[in-house]
Amino acid sequence: MVKRTIKFTPIAASVALTLGLTACGSDNDRNIPVTPVESFTATGDAQFNIEVTGKAVKGSMKSAVVTVMTLDASGQSVPVAFRSAASAEAESFSEEALSQSAADAAVEASKIAANPEVLTDESGRYSIYLDDDFTGPVYITVKTSAEGDDSFLRCDAYVGCGDYDVAPEEDDVNDGDTAIEFGEWYKTDLELSVVKFVPAVEADTSGVSGAAGDLNVASSYKANVTFLTSLVAALLLDSGSSVDEDAIAKASLDTVVQVMGQDAALLLSAIIGDLSNGGAVDLSDVDGEEELTDGILAIAQLSSSIQGLPSIGDVMSSIKAGIKSGQFKGNADASIAAIATMLQTAITNTANVFVAIATGTEDDIKTALEAAFAAKIPAPTAGEIVAFAANSADVAKKAKAAKDKAVKNGAATDASLAAAAVKIKKALEVIGCTGAECTVGDDFYTALAAALTLEVTASQTALTALEMSIETAQSSLVDVQAMGGDALTADNAAAFVSAVTLLKNEAATAGLTAKAGSIFVKSQGYVTAAKALVTQSSDYQQVLDSATSLQTDASVAVTDTVAYDIALAALVAEAETAIETFDIALAAAKLVAEDTADVADEKKSVADTAEAASTSALANAENAMVDTAANATEALELAMTAVTAASDFAAAVDALEIAIEQALVAANEYLALEGEGAQAMIDALTAMQTAAVAQGELASEQFVTAYNLQLAAETAVAKLEVLTSVKATSESLSTMTVLTGTGADAVADAADILADVIDELAEMGNNSGTGTSTRNADWDYAYSLDDLTLMLSNATTGEMINAAASYEGDKLVVAWGATLKGENDVSVELVTAATQTQALTDCVDFAAGTIDATQIDSCLVFTFDGAVTADNVDDAEIIMTETANHVEIMDGDSGFTGMLSITADDATDSGSITLEGVSGDVDFKVMTTYLDSDMEEASALDITVNNAMGYTLSITGNESAGYTGDVMAMYNEMMMSFGTAAKTTNGLSITYIDGDVVDYTDVDLIDSSK
């Protein structure tokens, strides 16, 4: 705090005294009085206890320069005081100036002048510490340079990050060629940034120490620096206004929706209010500090994809411009839209490769890499293909190793990573937004609240389990503490040292502090996101309350683990002292080596048990059948059990390998003291380590096999679920009058009557007349060849047929209608307009092509080989017959309303029939084509049901060979066969993919006689 004082300086006092003495010496001296110079002093203390820490990743940014600023009320960056370590005690400052404001400013300038240079470590990590009275936005930039310093960027793009100007020397990271490949370091100009808001702290509400357990830290905030946080920071700085938590939350949400889309944004519910709380993952080297959740993996894959594009800077500029204009994808600016398209291709490639990494073998990864390369460069040269193929196996090996390291470090399990990979691939198939999709509404916030609630609940469950582990560790700590202190003697000192070592090893393996810190950082993100929700509606207050409660509990867990670490460190120091005090170096080393070897043996037993369980579960899954819905469901359960068992097996082997490494350290320390039997211990542990490596490979193989079985079972279950609907649709179609023999007969009988009466009237040779048909006694007729009209009626059944015609060039156009009766009270109506005149007008327009079939009722068009009139029609030859009819059929059950269209081409002896409409609740379309050959008639029929399933029954063939085909439906966004169909004497037989054979009788789908 700055203290203000006003005083005379020594110079001012001296001047004043001199002037005073001079004046006393002579009353006549002509001295001019001089006003004393007034000076102002400001003093202040500063303690830097607010930690802001994170990682800069686009791959990792190593030895990158970190710049720290704050933002003023207009959003402009201005200097701020910070330190690279927390203050153990206050720093004091004192400055003088001619005004108080200048003195105050000088004190602040002195604080800032003492700012240190900060560089990131190899993982891109940095930490800075702000004055404990700081509140507001802190603006942090991290920069690597192509020249002039030791900064590097690591490539975590699977298809590479370009080329070196000069190939680096071959080492553990670089293979010595000019291609910048996955996992390699390279020099480039890149600047990423983040804006983090540090709220005013009334008290130490966090209760959390720094990442390393520094007790001098009052409060700690995560501020990761990533591609997305850089976009958010750019938008905030360009806004020209002050920055607070609400502004950061809005910019974060807008950025994610614009770049990734609303569906993907929901995966980021945990950090959607402040993207700096997560997402700093380098896919080439996952250290386990951050859990690989769905959202974090989505960000990591996006970042990896961008690094593989030609210019990261250009991509960031284009995306920022797109977001500011309201739409990145499909932007009116062609160059911005092109970047969006390029990014979509890149992220699709990355997602495909990651699925192979998470679920497949190195060969699968290699195949996916080469496919991604081909997609990135659509027309690669032969040299490029050869060069990439030559390196793809090595890249696949690195990618697989990076995934295995992530699992060993606790960032994920094999099972969770595989599930996440598939889920993210689906979410990233279409990134970004267009139009209304770019504006989030109530539905999105409701979904976000639900997703966030699940995150909070999951973290609370994890925290509960962690608290139990902490209690167990604390109990063990107390037991070991009881062995030391006053109870420590020469007799038990070696046992005490061994117990401390085992406790230290177990603590290193458990990573309780890291887990507690991870949950606490997550809870901070939950609270920020929940606050953004409450800003939208107070209905979300419960979400905020739950997140806040979790944060409080997580803070306690962090405090407990830090205290545990301090106590454990004290025990380690006490053990080291005991070794010297009691001169037991050899005895302690021997006991430690033996005890750690025993732990390795225990872990070996656990791994062997896990192997047996995994092997058994896999065998059960491999023997499962997927031929029926019940069997497929059981197979899926068995496969999922096998996946979990294989994942547990892998985790057990990881724990074993850690225990072996710890035991080898102890054995080598014992060997260094020339301990008896030390080499034998080392040999045994080395053999165990070799066996553990083989077990790890087996666990990986079993996981891949089990996961593929799970995918196959999931596919079978989903297919068989669709099959149930397919069967139901087939059943409904088979009972519809319009597709049964009865319905077909009704329409055919009407056509027979019409043709028969017309033939009879033609033989009479009259131009008009009325009467009763001699061939069909129940039918009366009235016709006029002059007017081209015909009326048929059946007084007994109430049936009627009417027609009106017109000669139109080479066509005879007929408008007709009918009310017909079939067997079993089936009624068939060919709908016509209210008047024959209107009906004929519509049909003439239809024949001329000025209106389509949806605008008419029932029309019949004959096309002749030349212009026709009443005088020459008998001599003309019909070359084409077309009819389009509005048909209503009712059989008392399903009924049908729709269009019946028939085309007959006499020149080619071919034709088609199309029936489209609704029967019952089914909207369907039937298309039949037939071709007369010298041998026999060949036909093809397609029935398509207009629903989301896309049911289609396709049959082709002829009478001699038989009619066969497939039943198709939509599955996984593709059409696939769900059965084979064959026409039988009285219907249709379908053999479905589950082996079920169903015969549908009285189905007359193909019948040339009709």
Side-chain angles (χ1 to χ4, degrees):
M1 304 298 289
V2 177
K3 300 178 181 178
R4 300 181 177 181
T5 60
I6 303 175
K7 65 179 183 179
F8 288 116
T9 67
I11 295 175
S14 176
V15 172
L17 179 60
T18 301
L19 290 174
L21 293 174
T22 303
C24 294
S26 174
D27 292 339
N28 296 322
D29 288 343
R30 299 176 64 185
N31 293 320
I32 300 174
V34 177
T35 303
V37 177
E38 188 176 23
S39 178
F40 296 82
T41 297
T43 62
D45 296 332
Q47 195 150 355
F48 297 87
N49 302 127
I50 297 177
E51 180 186 50
V52 179
T53 183
K55 290 194 296 185
V57 174
K58 192 29 262 82
S60 297
M61 301 175 74
K62 177 174 69 172
S63 299
V65 177
V66 180
T67 303
V68 184
M69 308 286 277
T70 186
L71 302 178
D72 62 18
S74 63
Q76 298 300 306
S77 60
V78 294
V80 66
F82 67 94
R83 298 294 181 263
S84 58
S87 299
E89 56 186 31
E91 298 179 32
S92 297
F93 300 89
S94 178
E95 296 293 340
E96 263 180 35
L98 297 179
S99 68
Q100 191 60 57
S101 61
D104 292 343
V107 168
E108 295 304 316
S110 295
K111 293 180 184 179
I112 293 170
N115 286 350
E117 179 185 57
V118 177
L119 301 177
T120 60
D121 68 9
E122 187 166 312
S123 297
R125 185 178 287 102
Y126 76 94
S127 292
I128 59 101
Y129 300 84
L130 300 170
D131 196 338
D132 58 7
D133 63 356
F134 177 87
T135 180
V138 56
Y139 173 51
I140 299 170
T141 61
V142 182
K143 183 177 182 179
T144 60
S145 299
E147 297 178 355
D149 63 14
D150 295 326
S151 63
F152 284 89
L153 182 65
R154 183 156 48 202
C155 175
D156 74 340
Y158 295 120
V159 292
C161 301
D163 298 289
Y164 297 105
D165 292 334
V166 177
E169 293 183 6
E170 184 175 353
D171 55 27
D172 292 340
V173 175
N174 298 293
D175 58 8
D177 63 17
T178 57
I180 304 173
E181 295 158 2
F182 179 76
E184 295 186 351
W185 293 101
Y186 65 105
K187 296 284 291 178
T188 189
D189 291 320
L190 177 65
E191 181 175 289
L192 299 181
S193 56
V194 63
V195 175
K196 186 76 179 184
F197 190 83
V198 177
V201 180
E202 297 178 0
D204 184 8
T205 57
S206 74
V208 63
S209 298
D214 191 338
L215 296 180
N216 295 318
V217 173
S219 56
S220 181
Y221 301 92
K222 182 70 71 177
N224 289 318
V225 188
T226 66
F227 169 74
L228 285 178
T229 66
S230 301
L231 291 175
V232 172
L235 293 174
L236 291 170
L237 266 66
D238 288 350
S239 69
S241 57
S242 61
V243 173
D244 57 16
E245 287 179 298
D246 290 342
I248 292 175
K250 183 181 185 307
S252 296
L253 177 58
D254 288 346
T255 297
V256 172
V257 170
Q258 287 277 350
V259 177
M260 303 179 73
Q262 291 195 21
D263 289 342
L266 293 176
L267 298 179
L268 304 179
S269 61
I271 60 172
I272 197 69
D274 182 354
L275 298 173
S276 72
N277 282 316
V281 173
D282 180 345
L283 291 176
S284 68
D285 187 25
V286 181
D287 56 17
E289 182 177 317
E290 193 164 1
E291 183 183 353
L292 294 182
T293 62
D294 296 342
I296 299 307
L297 271 173
I299 292 178
Q301 290 187 30
L302 172 69
S303 180
S304 169
S305 302
I306 289 168
Q307 193 174 14
L309 298 180
S311 171
I312 300 174
D314 289 347
V315 171
M316 292 180 63
S317 296
S318 294
I319 295 177
K320 185 181 77 171
I323 295 173
K324 290 183 68 176
S325 68
Q327 184 171 306
F328 166 52
K329 186 172 72 172
N331 195 280
D333 186 322
S335 62
I336 295 176
I339 291 291
T341 301
M342 187 189 306
L343 179 58
Q344 177 68 77
T345 300
I347 200 167
T348 298
N349 290 339
T350 300
N352 289 336
V353 172
F354 194 84
V355 167
I357 293 170
T359 65
T361 63
E362 287 184 21
D363 286 341
D364 296 325
I365 301 170
K366 183 177 183 294
T367 300
L369 284 168
E370 291 172 0
F373 178 75
K376 179 183 177 182
I377 307 176
T381 65
E384 288 173 331
I385 294 174
V386 171
F388 188 83
N391 290 334
S392 59
D394 186 53
V395 175
K397 184 176 182 179
K398 288 182 180 178
K400 177 68 162 53
K403 173 257 185 181
D404 291 341
K405 182 178 180 180
V407 173
K408 287 185 178 182
N409 286 337
T413 64
D414 284 321
S416 68
L417 207 56
V422 174
K423 184 176 181 179
I424 293 164
K425 177 185 175 182
K426 180 69 175 177
L428 298 180
E429 284 180 349
V430 179
I431 64 170
C433 63
T434 56
E437 298 172 350
C438 296
T439 303
V440 297
D442 292 341
D443 289 345
F444 175 83
Y445 287 114
T446 299
L448 178 61
L452 184 58
T453 298
L454 289 176
E455 291 275 3
V456 174
T457 301
S459 290
Q460 186 62 65
T461 300
L463 180 59
T464 300
L466 177 62
E467 288 169 339
M468 294 176 63
S469 298
I470 293 173
E471 289 180 6
T472 301
Q474 289 171 331
S475 177
S476 298
L477 178 72
V478 170
D479 292 341
V480 177
Q481 285 174 327
M483 297 174 64
D486 294 338
L488 191 60
T489 66
D491 292 336
N492 70 357
F496 171 69
V497 171
S498 181
V500 171
T501 302
L502 295 181
L503 194 64
K504 182 179 68 174
N505 288 347
E506 184 61 31
T509 303
L512 300 180
T513 301
K515 291 177 180 177
S518 175
I519 295 175
F520 178 76
V521 170
K522 282 185 179 181
S523 71
Q524 288 179 313
Y526 300 157
V527 169
T528 303
K531 285 180 178 178
L533 282 171
V534 171
T535 300
Q536 296 297 320
S537 172
S538 60
D539 292 344
Y540 301 120
Q541 183 61 45
Q542 181 57 52
V543 182
L544 177 57
D545 292 343
S546 297
T548 303
S549 176
L550 174 66
Q551 184 179 19
T552 301
D553 293 342
S555 172
V556 173
V558 171
T559 301
D560 289 344
T561 55
V562 169
Y564 174 84
D565 289 343
I566 293 172
L568 179 57
L571 274 177
V572 171
E574 186 179 357
E576 291 172 351
T577 301
I579 292 172
E580 295 181 3
T581 300
F582 298 104
D583 192 20
I584 57 167
L586 182 61
K590 179 181 180 182
L591 189 57
V592 168
E594 291 172 344
D595 288 348
T596 53
D598 287 344
V599 171
D601 286 337
E602 293 172 3
K603 300 294 185 183
K604 171 64 174 172
S605 178
V606 172
D608 289 344
T609 301
E611 178 183 348
S614 178
T615 302
S616 175
L618 182 60
N620 291 336
E622 288 178 319
N623 292 329
M625 302 293 290
V626 293
D627 53 339
T628 66
N631 287 345
T633 299
E634 181 181 2
L636 177 57
E637 293 175 355
L638 291 172
M640 292 173 67
T641 298
V643 166
T644 301
S647 184
D648 291 344
F649 176 26
V653 174
D654 289 341
L656 169 61
E657 289 180 329
I658 293 172
I660 293 172
E661 290 171 3
Q662 292 170 341
L664 279 170
V665 169
N668 278 292
E669 289 177 354
Y670 181 43
L671 179 65
L673 296 174
E674 300 181 356
E676 182 179 352
Q679 187 58 55
M681 290 182 181
I682 292 172
D683 292 343
L685 288 167
T686 301
M688 186 186 292
Q689 191 174 51
T690 300
V693 171
Q695 277 190 304
E697 293 173 351
L698 176 61
S700 179
E701 292 171 3
Q702 290 187 343
F703 177 81
V704 171
T705 302
Y707 190 78
N708 285 330
L709 288 172
Q710 178 180 323
L711 291 180
E714 287 174 345
T715 299
V717 168
K719 284 181 179 178
L720 292 168
E721 286 178 353
V722 175
L723 179 61
T724 300
S725 299
V726 168
K727 289 181 177 180
T729 303
S730 296
E731 183 65 31
S732 65
L733 289 175
S734 70
T735 60
M736 293 178 185
T737 298
V738 71
L739 296 179
T740 63
T742 302
D745 288 342
V747 177
D749 289 346
D752 287 344
I753 292 169
L754 181 60
D756 206 22
V757 172
I758 290 175
D759 185 55
E760 180 182 349
L761 297 178
E763 291 179 354
M764 294 171 62
N766 299 324
N767 287 340
S768 62
T770 61
T772 300
S773 171
T774 59
R775 301 181 187 179
N776 299 277
D778 293 333
W779 286 87
D780 298 326
Y781 61 81
Y783 73 99
S784 171
L785 295 181
D786 295 328
D787 298 332
L788 292 181
T789 60
L790 171 66
M791 174 69 74
L792 298 177
S793 61
N794 187 323
T796 303
T797 63
E799 296 174 277
M800 57 81 60
I801 302 173
N802 65 76
S806 172
Y807 291 108
E808 302 291 334
D810 62 347
K811 293 179 174 59
L812 174 62
V813 179
V814 181
W816 67 322
T819 300
L820 308 171
K821 295 290 185 179
E823 295 181 4
N824 302 320
D825 295 325
V826 173
S827 65
V828 180
E829 181 176 354
L830 300 181
V831 180
T832 188
T835 66
Q836 280 192 332
T837 301
Q838 181 61 52
L840 184 57
T841 299
D842 291 341
C843 289
V844 169
D845 290 339
F846 168 69
T850 57
I851 61 176
D852 60 32
T854 63
Q855 297 170 281
I856 61 171
D857 287 303
S858 300
C859 301
L860 178 62
V861 180
F862 299 99
T863 302
F864 295 86
D865 57 355
V868 289
T869 64
D871 296 330
N872 68 354
V873 67
D874 290 339
D875 299 324
E877 181 180 351
I878 298 176
I879 60 174
M880 179 71 73
T881 303
E882 300 172 85
T883 178
N885 309 290
H886 180 181
V887 181
E888 293 182 2
I889 303 175
M890 182 57 63
D891 65 355
D893 294 323
S894 59
F896 171 80
T897 301
M899 293 297 297
L900 172 64
S901 302
I902 303 172
T903 300
D905 188 337
D906 287 45
T908 59
D909 287 334
S910 64
S912 66
I913 302 172
T914 302
L915 183 68
E916 185 170 12
V918 178
S919 183
D921 294 328
V922 182
D923 180 4
F924 65 96
K925 181 177 183 178
V926 180
M927 295 184 66
T928 301
T929 59
Y930 57 88
L931 175 66
D932 285 330
S933 65
D934 293 337
M935 299 293 294
E936 58 184 327
E937 181 180 291
S939 302
L941 175 140
D942 289 285
I943 301 177
T944 303
V945 177
N946 299 322
N947 59 14
M949 183 176 62
Y951 179 102
T952 301
L953 171 63
S954 300
I955 296 178
T956 60
N958 52 45
E959 289 294 340
S960 63
Y963 296 98
T964 61
D966 288 294
V967 177
M968 310 286 288
M970 185 67 67
Y971 170 74
N972 198 23
E973 300 183 359
M974 296 180 63
M975 291 296 289
M976 67 161 285
S977 175
F978 282 85
T980 56
K983 192 172 186 309
T984 61
T985 302
N986 188 35
L988 190 70
S989 179
I990 300 179
T991 301
Y992 292 103
I993 57 174
D994 63 352
D996 195 10
V997 179
V998 180
D999 292 328
Y1000 302 97
T1001 59
D1002 191 33
V1003 177
D1004 198 9
L1005 298 175
I1006 300 179
D1007 191 339
S1008 60
S1009 67
K1010 300 291 190 290

